[in-house]
Amino acid sequence: MQIAVLTFDGFNELDSFVAAAILNRLRGQGWAAHITSPTPQVTSMNGVTIDRQQPLDFATKADAVIIGSGIRTREIAADPLMLGRIRLDPARQLVGAQCSGTLLLAKLGLIGDLPACTDLTTKPWVIEAGVEVLDAPFVAHGNVATAGGCLASQYLAAWIIARLAGTAEAEEALHYVAPVGEKALYVDRAMAAVRPFLMAEAAVTETA
């Protein structure tokens, strides 16, 4: 599985790096999560400059895509040329967004009138874009998921792993990164946020 972690200038390190690190726990099974950016280098909101691993058009062919947040997301959301370069297809990809990344999903028309999650700072902008915002850390509708709060990146990663590899693999990846002495608690909490939407997807698949 190839995953694009969309990472723009001004990005939040927790969004991009935590999700990528958890997803790459499945590297032995052929998985790879790539920092994917429109420019060869991007600088985080705290001044950390990194080299991208994949160009932005990699997102079009990835099996799953996560859109992280950052301090320049509103600028990106108002830039039709940049939005036009982000070509995603939830019919064949899992698509997740975190915090202000949800605003980009809204602008791309991938949320529609479904409720979504985002952070408290971005909430009024997402509402302004016509999306109902939930007071929750994670929600998924079919192949599109949104999360709110920097540390909710673990939920997006767990959802993607559970959907594409199974819940046991998701729990194992979370267990590895969780604090010692609190591993069971962390895994249970993360899976409690994600599992209802895995069950809902399974029910839809069985009905179809």
Side-chain angles (χ1 to χ4, degrees):
M1 293 296 173
Q2 299 294 306
I3 301 103
V5 181
L6 299 197
T7 303
F8 299 92
D9 215 33
F11 71 94
N12 184 320
E13 300 94 335
L14 291 172
D15 290 10
S16 293
F17 295 154
V18 172
I22 295 174
L23 289 163
N24 279 323
R25 291 300 306 160
L26 276 74
R27 189 176 295 277
Q29 300 182 32
W31 285 49
H34 306 269
I35 300 298
T36 302
S37 306
T39 54
Q41 291 188 323
V42 284
T43 300
S44 76
M45 60 192 297
N46 292 305
V48 179
T49 299
I50 62 170
D51 295 327
R52 72 183 179 189
Q53 295 172 294
Q54 293 287 351
L56 191 58
D57 60 4
F58 171 73
T60 302
K61 55 189 177 184
D63 299 295
V65 179
I66 290 179
I67 304 176
S69 69
I71 57 176
R72 297 185 59 187
T73 306
R74 289 188 80 189
E75 297 175 35
I76 298 167
D79 182 348
L81 292 179
M82 181 60 76
L83 290 177
R85 295 178 60 190
I86 307 172
R87 296 184 297 275
L88 308 178
D89 182 6
R92 62 172 184 81
Q93 297 173 302
L94 295 186
V95 179
Q98 184 167 349
C99 297
S100 62
T102 300
L103 178 61
L104 293 185
L105 273 191
K107 292 295 186 178
L108 290 168
L110 298 180
I111 296 179
D113 58 358
L114 297 171
C117 297
T118 189
D119 64 285
L120 298 180
T121 299
T122 309
K123 179 178 178 179
W125 309 333
V126 174
I127 293 174
E128 184 181 31
V131 176
E132 176 189 352
V133 175
L134 300 173
D135 183 21
F138 178 86
V139 68
H141 305 284
N143 287 346
V144 178
T146 53
C150 299
L151 294 180
S153 52
Q154 61 182 311
Y155 300 155
L156 283 175
W159 174 71
I160 289 175
I161 295 173
R163 284 287 310 273
L164 299 179
T167 56
E169 287 79 1
E171 291 173 359
E172 183 177 346
L174 291 169
H175 188 272
Y176 182 88
V177 302
V180 172
E182 299 179 334
K183 289 185 177 293
L185 175 65
Y186 268 71
V187 172
D188 288 347
R189 178 176 294 173
M191 293 308 296
V194 172
R195 188 172 285 109
F197 304 102
L198 301 176
M199 295 171 63
E201 180 62 24
V204 170
T205 302
E206 290 176 4
T207 300

